[in-house]
Amino acid sequence: MAADDMHSIRTIGLLAEGGAGKTTLGEALLYAAGETTRQGRVEDESSVFDFEPEEMRRKTTLSTAFHTLHWKKHDICLVDPPGYANFLPDTRYAMEAMGGAIFVASPTGQLKVETERLWNWAKDMQLPRIVCLSRLDREEGEFGAAIAALNSTLETTLTPIHIPIGSQAGFRGVVDLLSMKALMFQGDKGEVKAEAIPDDLQGQADDYREKLIEAVAETDDDLLTRYLEGEELSADDITQGLSAGVAASQIFPVLCLSGGQTLGIQPVLDAIVDLLPSPASRPSVIATNPKTHEEVERSPDPTAPFTARVFKTVDSQAGKLALFHVLSGKVESDSVVYNATRDAKERLGQLFHLKGKKQEPVATALPGDIIGVAKLKETHTGDTLCDDRNPTLLSPLVEFNPAISFALGLKSRGDEEKIMTSLDRLNEEDPALKVDRDQQSNEILISGAGQLHIEVVVEKLKRKYGVDVELKAPKVPYRETITGRTEAQGRLKKQSGGRGQFGDTWLRVGPLARGTGFEFVNEIKGGAIPRQYIPSVEKGVVDALGKGFLAGYPIVDVQVVLYDGSYHEVDSSDMAFQIAGSIGIQNALEKAKPVLLEPIMHLDITVPEEYMGDISGDINRRRGRLVSVDANGNNQIIKASVPMAEVLTYAPDLRSMTSGRGTFEVGFSHYEEVPHHLTEKIIQESKRAKEEAGH
Ligand SMILES: Nc1nc2c(ncn2[C@@H]2O[C@H](COP(=O)(O)OP(=O)(O)OP(=O)(O)O)[C@@H](O)[C@H]2O)c(=O)[nH]1
Ligand SMILES: [Mg+2]
C-alpha cells in the first residue's frame, strides 16, 4: 500500500555510533506498531535489518537496511545504517534519503566521535533530529548530567520532552512534559497508561517543562508574546510549536526508552508522526538543467517535475536493485525516466518498498519515498533520475578517500577475470570500495575505509561469487626519477651474417618538475635518423623508463631529448631503433643521479584533546609533518603529511593510541624523494621480491 498523501509519509533514519542500539530500536518500533509479530534481535540473528550473513555473524550493521511500518494512518520508512567508522560512507549516502533522524544515545550521555561526526553531517544537511536515550533498562546515568554531556559534545541545547521514571530494572515509565502526566509502561509492547506525576519527580518535571515552553516560545513571535503575557499554552500549541522548531532544526527533543525491552516505544512512534516533518516541509533542492546548464529548483511537491537520487544499490532476491529517493514530483511503475547523469533513458519496471530483505510492490512513488527498482541498465549509485521533459541534474555524491590498500593474492591465475567482475559488482553496492592495479607488479589492489571494511569485502567475494583471495601486506607504489642532467649514446650493431640490426641514438636527459611525468623532444636535424624511426626511439625509451633503474619502479618527471644519431640503409628497422633508444636511456640514467620517490599522504585526524600530545609525537616518529591543528568542540583536528610507507597500518595504531576514540581520513598528496638512508633498503627489498617472483 502506498501513501496517497505525501503529508502522511515519514522517512526516518536511525543514527549513532556502532552498538548504540539503532537496529534494536528499529526492531522495537516495528514490533510496537504491529508490523512484526515478535521483536527481532541482533544478538540472536533474528533482526529483519541485519539480514546479511556477514552482519549476523558480527552482530553489527554493515550496510543500510530499510523497513516500512504504519502508525496512525502514516507510512513510516525506517532507515537503519551502520554506525562503525569503517562503514560510515554507506551511512552518509543513506542520509541523502532521510527526511529526519533519530539519534540514539546512552543514559550516560557519553558519545563516540562517530556520533559527533553524524550529528555534524545532519547539521550541514539541515536534517530535523530527535534524540532517544535508549538502554535505560540496562545502564545507569543521572538524567541532568547526561543532557549536559550531550549538549557539550554536540554543541547544542537539547530539549527533553521526557524524564525517566526509575532506572535499569526499575525503569517503568516516563514523565511526559507535553501532557504533564506520567506515562507508565504496560504489556509486552510497552503501551503507556497516563497517571499523575510521582511526587518526587514533580520539581524536576516543572523545571524541564519551563525549559520546553521557553524553547517552543522562542521559535514563534505569537507564542512568545502569549507566553510572556503569562498565558498558559495548550498541549496543541506546544506540539505545533515543537514540530515547527524540529522541522527548522532549532529544537531537538529528547525521549527516554529501552529498545531492548520495548519500553517507551509508542511515544517514539507518536513523535515520528507528530514532531518529525513530512517530506512536504523539506527544503527545495537546487540543481542544474543538464541541457541548458541553468539552475533549477525542485520542491517536494507531487505536481513538480519528477526528480530522484539513486543513493544506493543492493543485491536482492530480485537481482540488482537501485534504490532511489524521490525529491520532487511522482513516478509510477513501468514509466520511462531520464538518467541525467548518464544521458540515457531508463524504463522502470515494478516499483518496490523495502521490508528488510523483502520487497513490497507499490504503484506510485511520491516525494520522500524510498523506492527499489530492479534491473536498470545504465544507472549507478549517485545518479539523478528525472522527467526527461524537465531534466534535472543533482550534484554528485560526496567522495570518500580510501584509508587503506591491499594487494590481492590469488589462489590461481585463471581466477583473475572472475575476481575483477566480482569486484566490479561489489563496487556497485559499495562505492567506498576502490579497485585498481599496481602499476609495477600488475597485482589487483583494493582500497577502502579500513581493515574491517576490506575484510568484509573479501568475505563477500567468497560467499557471493565463490572467489577465494588472500590479502597481502599493503604496497607502497614507489617511483624513480633523476636529479642530474647528462647525455649518452645508445647504439645497436649486429651485422654478422644474414640481415643485420643497426640503430644509433644520442639522448640528453634532465629532471622535470615533480608531477610533470614524461616529455620526449625530437631535435634530430638533417635526417640523421629517418622520421619513421623517431617514434621507435621514443617507444624504446618509454618501455625502459617503465621498468625503472634502481629498484624496478617506473621513472617519472624526466625529459628526454633525442638530438643525434645515425642509421643504415638496409639494417635499420623499427625494432633496432627501439632497442637503441632503450640502451641509450639506460646509459644516460646511470650518469643522471637516479633517486627513489615515495608517495606522501595527507592525514586528517580527529581525536579528543587529551590525545593531542601522543598523536603529534607519533606523527614525528613516522617521518611526518604537522600541517595544522584546529579545535572542534572537545576534539582536535590534526592535519599532517606523512609518507605512505609509515601509515599503512595507521587504523589499528590510532585505535590503540586513543582507545578507539580517534578517527582519520587519508588521501594521496604528492611524491617526495626517499631519504638517503632508506633508499638502499627499498632497493634490496625490491631485488628480493623479484627473485622470489622468479624473474
Ligand atoms: N539491555 C539493552 N540492550 C540493548 C538495548 N539496545 C541495544 N542493546 C544491545 O546492544 C547491542 C547493540 O545493539 P544494536 O541495536 O545492534 O546497535 P546498533 O546501533 O544497531 O549497532 P551497529 O549496527 O553495530 O552500528 C545489542 O547486543 C543489543 O541487544 C537496550 O535498550 N537495552
Ligand atoms: Mg545496527
Side-chain angles (χ1 to χ4, degrees):
M1 183 189 81
D4 48 12
D5 175 7
M6 194 184 36
H7 294 88
S8 62
I9 298 177
R10 300 286 182 278
T11 309
I12 305 302
L14 298 159
L15 293 175
E17 67 213 32
K22 300 177 292 296
T23 304
T24 302
L25 174 56
E27 290 289 349
L29 291 166
L30 293 179
Y31 179 60
E35 184 64 39
T36 47
T37 49
R38 58 184 274 266
Q39 182 169 334
R41 307 228 164 242
V42 177
E43 58 274 20
D44 58 21
E45 304 183 7
S46 63
S47 165
V48 296
F49 293 105
D50 289 353
F51 58 81
E52 295 267 10
E54 291 79 16
E55 300 182 309
M56 297 207 269
R57 188 161 53 249
R58 291 187 168 79
K59 311 208 183 326
T60 186
T61 308
L62 300 173
S63 175
T64 306
F66 309 82
H67 208 296
T68 51
L69 64 87
H70 306 289
W71 184 252
K72 296 193 173 161
K73 302 207 173 83
H74 284 67
D75 289 282
I76 299 171
C77 175
L78 293 179
V79 181
D80 178 34
Y84 283 103
N86 266 244
F87 305 97
L88 286 188
D90 189 65
T91 308
R92 175 63 186 75
Y93 296 144
M95 287 174 77
E96 295 283 334
M98 295 175 189
I102 296 177
F103 272 77
V104 183
S106 104
T108 63
Q110 295 303 316
L111 298 178
K112 298 216 172 86
V113 281
E114 286 90 341
T115 305
E116 277 176 63
R117 193 155 176 219
L118 291 163
W119 184 269
N120 289 331
W121 282 343
K123 188 167 148 191
D124 292 344
M125 298 170 89
Q126 295 171 34
L127 202 57
R129 282 151 274 170
I130 65 178
V131 176
C132 286
L133 289 195
S134 190
R135 303 181 345 229
L136 270 154
D137 63 297
R138 191 175 75 187
E139 287 166 38
E140 177 85 66
E142 200 276 306
F143 184 67
I147 300 297
L150 292 170
N151 284 345
S152 143
T153 315
L154 300 176
E155 298 183 301
T156 187
T157 306
L158 303 177
T159 305
I161 60 169
H162 285 170
I163 47 181
I165 303 176
S167 68
Q168 294 175 294
F171 176 52
R172 57 194 186 281
V174 294
V175 175
D176 174 36
L177 300 166
L178 297 176
S179 61
M180 284 307 265
K181 291 272 190 254
L183 304 179
M184 305 309 288
F185 308 138
Q186 292 187 322
D188 78 328
K189 290 186 180 172
E191 281 103 329
V192 294
K193 179 166 168 273
E195 292 179 4
I197 297 175
D199 289 344
D200 58 333
L201 289 176
Q202 188 68 51
Q204 196 185 15
D206 290 338
D207 288 350
Y208 277 111
R209 162 89 176 182
E210 197 63 30
K211 288 186 183 150
L212 164 64
I213 306 282
E214 271 171 28
V216 170
E218 270 168 25
T219 64
D220 183 291
D221 286 345
D222 175 46
L223 286 179
L224 186 60
T225 317
R226 286 162 54 197
Y227 168 68
L228 291 176
E229 284 169 358
E231 190 184 320
E232 186 74 10
L233 301 182
S234 73
D236 273 357
D237 282 339
I238 300 172
T239 307
Q240 273 176 27
L242 253 185
S243 66
V246 171
S249 291
Q250 287 174 350
I251 301 184
F252 311 104
V254 181
L255 288 76
C256 297
L257 55 124
S258 158
Q261 300 293 319
T262 334
L263 300 173
I265 301 304
Q266 188 192 312
V268 182
L269 289 165
D270 289 340
I272 292 173
V273 166
D274 295 335
L275 301 184
L276 284 166
S278 89
S281 50
R282 294 293 291 146
S284 304
V285 288
I286 306 295
T288 40
N289 177 323
K291 307 234 153 104
T292 63
H293 304 286
E294 279 163 15
E295 194 177 280
V296 292
E297 189 174 339
R298 296 286 178 247
S299 56
D301 172 353
T303 64
F306 170 65
T307 308
R309 155 93 78 191
V310 179
F311 67 96
K312 190 172 169 70
T313 304
V314 293
D315 208 8
S316 77
Q317 290 149 337
K320 195 177 98 175
L321 268 192
L323 306 188
F324 64 82
H325 174 234
V326 182
L327 292 159
S328 72
K330 64 177 178 184
V331 72
E332 271 146 30
S333 285
D334 299 316
S335 41
V336 175
V337 297
Y338 175 64
N339 180 327
T341 314
R342 314 270 156 199
D343 185 22
K345 289 210 170 149
E346 283 279 18
R347 174 172 295 280
L348 306 181
Q350 176 66 53
L351 306 182
F352 295 105
H353 274 165
L354 281 86
K355 294 192 152 192
K357 64 178 161 189
K358 300 203 191 101
Q359 290 102 42
E360 184 179 73
V362 285
T364 314
L366 295 173
D369 263 325
I370 289 178
I371 297 290
V373 59
K375 301 193 173 71
L376 295 188
K377 291 199 174 63
E378 309 271 353
T379 302
H380 299 272
T381 303
D383 291 0
T384 311
L385 298 179
C386 59
D387 171 4
D388 71 344
R389 283 153 307 168
N390 292 286
T392 311
L393 182 62
L394 300 165
S395 52
L397 290 177
V398 281
E399 285 256 5
F400 289 87
N401 284 325
I404 195 164
S405 299
F406 290 89
L408 291 187
L410 316 184
K411 300 268 152 97
S412 75
R413 271 273 152 220
D415 281 351
E416 250 202 55
E417 191 84 340
K418 197 170 164 201
I419 291 181
M420 283 313 262
T421 44
S422 312
L423 280 171
D424 278 350
R425 288 171 66 183
L426 283 185
N427 207 178
E428 275 281 317
E429 291 173 48
D430 180 3
L433 170 69
K434 301 272 184 283
V435 182
D436 295 296
R437 285 269 180 189
D438 182 299
Q439 300 214 356
Q440 193 205 7
S441 66
N442 205 33
E443 283 174 319
I444 301 169
L445 293 179
I446 58 172
S447 315
Q451 177 128 8
L452 186 58
H453 178 204
I454 298 298
E455 282 168 8
V456 170
V457 166
V458 169
E459 269 175 52
K460 284 194 177 168
L461 273 178
K462 173 138 192 175
R463 173 174 66 88
K464 293 186 152 180
Y465 308 108
V467 279
D468 226 344
V469 295
E470 56 186 24
L471 293 177
K472 294 194 188 173
K475 292 206 126 202
V476 180
Y478 291 105
R479 294 285 178 267
E480 299 179 16
T481 192
I482 52 170
T483 54
R485 291 178 185 281
T486 184
E487 20 185 79
Q489 185 184 23
R491 188 161 189 267
L492 175 74
K493 186 180 178 191
K494 272 197 192 148
Q495 288 172 318
S496 53
R499 196 188 147 189
Q501 295 272 14
F502 184 86
D504 177 25
T505 60
W506 278 93
L507 302 174
R508 189 155 59 225
V509 302
L512 289 177
R514 198 65 63 241
T516 326
F518 167 69
E519 200 178 288
F520 184 80
V521 183
N522 172 25
E523 284 182 6
I524 293 291
K525 291 193 187 73
I529 296 177
R531 207 178 318 134
Q532 76 263 31
Y533 296 137
I534 306 291
S536 314
V537 177
E538 179 171 358
K539 181 158 191 304
V541 166
V542 168
D543 287 352
L545 288 175
K547 294 196 183 105
F549 181 80
L550 289 175
Y553 294 101
I555 298 170
V556 295
D557 305 337
V558 282
Q559 186 194 53
V560 177
V561 182
L562 172 63
Y563 66 94
D564 202 0
S566 61
Y567 70 106
H568 184 274
E569 282 293 349
V570 179
D571 293 342
S572 284
S573 66
D574 168 42
M575 190 45 76
F577 269 104
Q578 282 191 42
I579 296 171
S582 156
I583 295 170
I585 194 75
Q586 288 179 57
N587 291 340
L589 288 172
E590 202 174 340
K591 298 187 285 178
K593 304 194 194 111
V595 292
L596 278 178
L597 296 175
E598 63 178 342
I600 307 293
M601 311 300 279
H602 55 73
L603 288 186
D604 275 23
I605 311 163
T606 306
V607 291
E609 200 172 349
E610 66 248 46
Y611 298 108
M612 181 57 214
D614 292 350
I615 299 299
S616 58
D618 178 70
I619 293 289
N620 257 323
R621 279 189 294 280
R622 293 174 195 264
R623 302 192 281 124
R625 190 166 51 82
L626 287 190
V627 177
S628 66
V629 179
D630 289 298
N632 177 14
N634 299 329
N635 286 317
Q636 299 284 320
I637 300 175
I638 302 155
K639 290 187 194 289
S641 57
V642 190
M644 185 182 186
E646 309 289 337
V647 287
L648 290 172
T649 58
Y650 197 62
D653 297 350
L654 181 68
R655 209 180 308 134
S656 64
M657 277 187 289
T658 61
S659 311
R661 296 175 65 201
T663 56
F664 77 108
E665 278 179 54
V666 51
F668 171 76
S669 171
H670 62 282
Y671 274 92
E672 268 175 31
E673 226 179 288
V674 174
H676 204 66
H677 67 280
L678 295 175
T679 304
E680 195 50 36
K681 197 168 137 239
I682 297 166
I683 295 175
Q684 291 310 327
E685 264 164 24
S686 155
K687 270 197 190 137
R688 201 166 42 240
K690 256 197 174 151
E691 276 157 19
E692 273 165 22
H695 287 292

